[in-house]
Amino acid sequence: MGERFFGVIAEAYKAWNTELVGFLNRQLKRSPDTAQDLAQETFAKWLAASNGAEPPEKPRAYLYEIARNLLRDHWRREGVRGEHLAASLDDQDFAPQAGSLAADAGTQPEARADVNQRLRLLQAAIDAMPPRQREAFLLYRYDELRCEEIAGRMGISVRAVEKHLQLALAHCKRHVHGEAS
C-alpha cells in the first residue's frame, strides 16, 4: 500500500472519525457502541480496499458511502432495516398511501410480505439513482441535512439540490408504487 494512501486515511480518521461516529449513532437511534464499531469497520474497509489504488478525490464522501453501506448491512443483519426505511419515508413529499407501506406488519403475514416487497423496491430504486442524485437524497434523508448544507458539501447550488431531491422522490414513488417510468 502506498504511503500516500495510508496518509490520506490517517488524515481522514483524525478529521472525521468523531463526526462519523456521531452520524452513525444518530442513524442507529443512539447506540454508541455499535456506532463506534461501524466507524472502525468503515476505516478498515477503506484500508482493505486500497490495494495500490489512488486515494479518492472526495475522501469524506467516500468514507460516508462506505458507512452507509455498512449501516444497510447492519440493518439487514439486525432485522430492523425495514422498520427504519419505512420510518424514513414519512415525508411531506413521500407519504405512504394508506394500507401500503404503512400497513400494520405485525398482524398478517401477507401485510409483512407486502411491506418487505415495497422496501426491496425502494432499495432497488435508491440503488438505481444516478450517483449525484443518490448522494443528495441520502444526505437529505439519512444525514438529515438541509438543502443549503447539501449544496455546500456537493459543491452545487441549492436549486440543483432541490431538483435532485424532486427527481429522487419521484423516482422512488414510481418504483415503490409500480408506476411506469
Side-chain angles (χ1 to χ4, degrees):
M1 174 189 334
E3 189 91 13
R4 180 171 171 242
F5 199 99
F6 186 75
V8 169
I9 295 174
E11 287 301 315
Y13 183 84
K14 285 187 237 175
W16 300 310
N17 184 58
T18 302
E19 176 186 326
L20 183 65
V21 170
F23 161 75
L24 292 166
N25 194 32
R26 284 189 307 277
Q27 297 304 308
L28 294 164
K29 305 299 182 214
R30 309 290 181 230
S31 179
D33 291 338
T34 305
Q36 281 284 6
D37 290 346
L38 286 178
Q40 183 177 357
E41 190 175 347
T42 299
F43 284 98
K45 284 225 183 256
W46 187 6
L47 197 56
S50 64
N51 284 343
E54 284 294 311
E57 275 185 43
K58 297 182 178 184
R60 186 172 178 276
Y62 183 71
L63 185 69
Y64 272 79
E65 189 65 30
I66 294 170
R68 283 187 197 95
N69 288 335
L70 289 172
L71 274 171
R72 284 187 204 113
D73 293 344
H74 171 77
W75 288 325
R76 280 187 199 110
R77 281 190 310 268
E78 296 298 315
V80 296
R81 178 177 165 263
E83 177 184 313
H84 178 79
L85 280 173
S88 76
L89 292 175
D90 187 21
D91 177 284
Q92 78 257 10
D93 292 328
F94 196 64
Q97 296 174 347
S100 65
L101 206 52
D104 180 6
T107 58
Q108 298 293 323
E110 296 86 12
R112 270 196 314 275
D114 183 53
V115 168
N116 288 336
Q117 174 63 26
R118 289 183 183 276
L119 291 171
R120 280 191 295 276
L121 290 170
L122 176 62
Q123 185 61 53
I126 291 170
D127 291 343
M129 286 179 191
R132 298 287 283 174
Q133 187 180 73
R134 181 176 49 245
E135 180 182 3
F137 180 76
L138 292 173
L139 287 170
Y140 180 74
R141 294 306 306 157
Y142 294 104
D143 292 358
E144 300 175 352
L145 297 181
R146 295 173 317 161
C147 290
E148 295 80 12
E149 295 170 307
I150 296 168
R153 280 197 187 178
M154 293 179 68
I156 59 177
S157 70
V158 172
R159 180 67 189 120
V161 170
E162 291 169 348
K163 188 66 172 173
H164 279 311
L165 294 176
Q166 279 180 326
L167 292 171
L169 290 170
H171 178 78
C172 288
K173 283 181 185 180
R174 281 192 306 273
H175 275 75
V176 171
H177 297 297
E179 300 169 12
S181 296

